[in-house]
Amino acid sequence: MNFYVMTLFPEMIEQGMNTSITGRAIAKGLLSLKTVNIRDYSVTGNGRIDDYPYGGGAGMVMQAEPIYRAYEDLKARIQGNSDAQVCPRVIYLTPQGRVFHQNMAQEFAKEENLIFLCGHYEGVDERVIESIVTDQVSIGDYVLTGGELPAMVMMDAISRMVPGVLSNAESGQSESFSDHLLEYPQYSRPEVWRDRPVPPVLLSGHHGKVDRWHREQSLLRTLQNRPELLKEADLDKTDIAFLESLSK
Ligand code: ADE
């Protein structure tokens, strides 16, 4: 999986991605990360890449041409590295996009190359979006100062789906959203922490009871925090009886 990021703040992306699990995967060669500084493609020669919006309004707009040139250069480099005529997907991070979801992470993880376009200021000239972007993605209903954090959020979630990125222990964990249920709570030593004991069933050594307790905690959390997910979940009779007992 090769990530390419077009941004005005390459150091932000590199710092974030070269840390922790994604950093380890990059060092191992399971992932690669290349950033492209859009400012290097300024057409005015002074590093400027933004201008006033036509029609007026607050803020500045990132111009089409520097982004287009950065993209053309990047595409040529990617095509130079591969035998086939690849045309990678270009993801533009914007609150106006489709909301990111675990299923999307799974879909994107099947690609060999992904290009992210991070906007800043008030936006990006629509014409370059129309001409190069294949996917517009939002990471939630709030507005951030730029697309760098959303791009990192997406790359992190996608990386976890790439074989070998997570160790067996890491990937063996059951996952929130994988079956439309939230994850159950976890506990570690000590057995009693500041007067709070670990739920006794977890110390019982009875696997059947522990599994049932995990399942019930997942159901409970989902009901409390994300009840709409339960409609999609695969529930058996025992699950339904448990949920009904809660509402009594
Ligand atoms: N850029 C600014 N806010 C954003 C968001 N919520 N998602 C994706 N890109 C953004």
Side-chain angles (χ1 to χ4, degrees):
M1 164 64 74
N2 305 307
F3 294 128
Y4 301 89
V5 187
M6 300 196 285
T7 170
L8 291 172
F9 301 98
E11 67 291 348
M12 185 172 171
I13 302 283
E14 277 159 22
Q15 282 259 342
M17 290 299 290
N18 281 307
T19 306
S20 184
I21 293 178
T22 49
R24 184 181 72 192
I26 292 168
K28 277 193 192 168
L30 295 166
L31 304 175
S32 82
L33 172 71
K34 299 234 163 18
T35 56
V36 174
N37 193 336
I38 297 167
R39 207 173 289 290
D40 293 343
Y41 296 85
S42 162
V43 283
T44 55
N46 60 0
R48 225 180 128 173
I49 49 76
D50 62 337
D51 210 332
Y52 294 99
Y54 278 120
M60 304 293 275
V61 174
M62 285 172 72
Q63 293 169 293
E65 187 61 17
I67 293 173
Y68 190 74
R69 290 187 184 187
Y71 166 74
E72 286 282 277
D73 210 11
L74 188 52
K75 197 173 69 171
R77 268 161 57 194
I78 297 170
Q79 287 177 346
N81 290 341
S82 79
D83 311 330
Q85 191 72 353
V86 285
C87 204
R89 282 164 87 165
V90 179
I91 302 164
Y92 173 48
L93 289 311
T94 167
Q96 284 136 56
R98 283 198 302 143
V99 179
F100 192 50
H101 188 275
Q102 189 67 30
N103 294 346
M104 267 197 224
Q106 247 142 11
E107 276 307 304
F108 284 127
K110 293 179 190 155
E111 301 287 325
E112 189 181 340
N113 301 290
L114 285 175
I115 300 178
F116 293 87
L117 170 60
C118 304
H120 254 264
Y121 311 109
E122 289 307 302
V124 168
D125 190 311
E126 191 66 22
R127 293 166 295 182
V128 74
I129 298 175
E130 285 164 9
S131 67
I132 70 170
V133 169
T134 57
D135 299 87
Q136 299 197 35
V137 181
S138 162
I139 61 159
D141 290 341
Y142 40 83
V143 182
L144 300 166
T145 55
E148 283 74 16
L149 286 171
M152 284 196 270
V153 165
M154 285 189 66
M155 288 189 283
D156 189 295
I158 294 166
S159 298
R160 298 178 70 261
M161 304 286 116
V162 172
V165 167
L166 296 185
S167 65
N168 282 345
E170 288 157 350
S171 59
Q173 284 176 9
S174 69
E175 303 228 352
S176 289
F177 305 111
S178 54
D179 52 4
H180 305 280
L181 291 178
L182 302 184
E183 214 179 310
Y184 52 78
Q186 301 274 11
Y187 300 86
S188 183
R189 285 196 283 186
E191 234 175 88
V192 179
W193 176 77
R194 294 184 181 246
D195 297 334
R196 291 167 186 267
V198 168
V201 62
L202 299 181
L203 310 174
S204 69
H206 191 301
H207 293 303
K209 283 188 183 160
V210 171
D211 287 348
R212 192 63 228 155
W213 185 84
H214 282 160
R215 182 77 181 172
E216 289 179 355
Q217 291 296 311
S218 283
L219 292 165
L220 183 60
R221 282 200 163 179
T222 312
L223 181 69
Q224 283 170 340
N225 298 340
R226 299 289 306 278
E228 77 283 7
L229 293 178
L230 287 173
K231 288 200 275 294
E232 307 289 323
D234 194 6
L235 305 178
D236 64 17
K237 277 191 200 141
T238 325
D239 296 332
I240 293 165
F242 173 73
L243 287 168
E244 280 171 0
S245 77
L246 294 173
S247 56
K248 278 189 193 130

